[in-house]
Amino acid sequence: FWRDQMASLPEAKVPEASGADELAYPDMRVVTIDRSLSDQLKAFAQREGVALKFVLLGAHMKALSALLQSDDVVSGVVLNGRLERAGGEEHIGMFLNSLPFRLNLAGHSWHSLVHACMEHERTLYPHRRMPLSNLQELLERRDLFEVAFNYVHFSQAWSKDEGQALSLLKREGSAISSLSFLMTFMLNPQTSQVEGFFQFPGGVGWEPYADALVDSYQEVLTSIVSTDSTAEIGQMNLVSVTESSRINTWEGDDDNGF
């Protein structure tokens, strides 16, 4: 299964950043999603008959596609491997696993993309408990993905102190420390509002890239609710000229950028 999924995997790496400190605690940017946009995204999911997670996952894949200028996109996706039986939710432990999620976005509309995300996760689900390290060994490749998507819908262990919720997100993200970048969306159970947090390596070198990608997420999310959902999305140039120039400066002589 996994050999077929990852056959002819493209090289699509984020740029190297000078000044980044691999030992620094991960930094974070907030993706601004106001009440109106949050409500529209939830309404879109309801109209499409899909969970909100797949609308946000579609947005994530499109943002990566636009920034990497590639239709063939691979992102990590954090999946829950908790036992599916009565009382399973009460077991304490780390049941999360990060695995590659690959889609070709060519020709998709927002309608077809969110449904493709849902169907592809269903395909992956029976294989979700394979440890990432085993998969890397099987495929003889460690760089399966550098950016990952996580969707959190708190149902337990929620404190009224939202600062504690952010701390929980940071701890969960740091548990996936082998990743360079982690995009977490969550549905705040107190406000019922969609929130987004982009985590990236500490150090000043990554900040322009993080800022550009956060802007891209906001533009993609707005596009979902403001365009014809059945029209082909097409190419989206989501990086401003200023941010493009910053990103290009990271490529240097090695051509390791987009």
Side-chain angles (χ1 to χ4, degrees):
F1 172 83
W2 283 112
R3 286 193 178 97
D4 290 341
Q5 286 291 313
M6 305 303 285
S8 303
L9 183 66
E11 291 285 348
K13 296 175 67 65
V14 298
E16 300 292 336
S18 60
D21 183 357
E22 294 182 356
L23 300 178
Y25 195 82
D27 205 345
M28 185 179 286
R29 291 286 187 274
V30 174
V31 178
T32 302
I33 304 171
D34 62 24
R35 169 67 67 179
S36 175
L37 179 55
S38 175
D39 289 345
Q40 290 179 79
L41 289 169
K42 289 187 289 184
F44 178 83
Q46 188 172 22
R47 289 196 304 271
E48 292 294 332
V50 302
L52 177 62
K53 171 184 179 178
F54 299 113
V55 176
L56 300 171
L57 178 54
H60 170 74
M61 298 299 286
K62 186 57 186 178
L64 290 187
S65 172
L67 287 168
L68 299 175
Q69 293 298 293
S70 173
D71 288 325
D72 189 357
V73 180
V74 181
S75 170
V77 169
V78 180
L79 297 173
N80 189 346
R82 186 179 292 276
L83 297 177
E84 296 179 343
R85 64 188 185 191
E89 73 281 0
E90 298 177 0
H91 288 270
I92 304 300
M94 178 60 73
F95 297 98
L96 301 178
N97 191 22
S98 302
L99 291 171
F101 187 96
R102 185 179 185 182
L103 277 182
N104 192 308
L105 276 65
H108 272 297
S109 64
W110 286 120
H111 165 79
S112 64
L113 180 56
V114 299
H115 284 273
C117 287
M118 180 177 67
E119 292 303 320
H120 190 51
E121 183 174 286
R122 286 178 177 172
T123 301
L124 296 183
Y125 219 64
H127 310 275
R128 70 190 184 281
R129 293 190 176 97
M130 183 173 190
L132 177 59
S133 59
N134 290 9
L135 181 57
Q136 291 169 325
E137 183 178 353
L138 173 69
L139 300 176
E140 299 181 338
R141 181 169 176 174
R142 297 201 61 81
D143 60 335
L144 299 179
F145 54 86
E146 291 185 295
V147 184
F149 170 90
N150 188 22
Y151 179 69
V152 180
H153 190 173
F154 288 108
S155 58
Q156 296 183 18
W158 176 265
S159 167
K160 293 182 180 179
D161 180 356
E162 294 190 9
Q164 292 187 23
L166 284 176
S167 296
L168 179 59
L169 283 176
K170 289 182 178 180
R171 289 198 301 273
E172 184 172 298
S174 64
I176 317 170
S177 57
S178 62
L179 303 178
S180 295
F181 303 94
L182 177 65
M183 182 64 226
T184 297
F185 287 102
M186 61 173 280
L187 189 63
N188 188 314
Q190 291 184 322
T191 65
S192 297
Q193 188 165 336
V194 180
E195 300 177 357
F197 307 92
F198 182 66
Q199 183 175 294
F200 59 98
V204 296
W206 290 114
E207 291 178 354
Y209 178 81
D211 291 339
L213 190 51
V214 165
D215 289 344
S216 298
Y217 279 112
Q218 291 170 186
E219 292 190 43
V220 169
L221 292 170
T222 300
S223 171
I224 292 174
V225 301
S226 62
T227 59
D228 181 356
S229 64
T230 62
E232 182 176 343
I233 304 170
Q235 293 296 321
M236 301 177 71
N237 183 18
L238 297 173
V239 184
S240 68
V241 173
T242 301
E243 297 299 344
S244 294
S245 65
R246 290 181 183 177
I247 290 173
N248 290 335
T249 62
W250 294 342
E251 296 181 6
D253 297 330
D254 295 330
D255 293 326
N256 290 324
F258 299 114

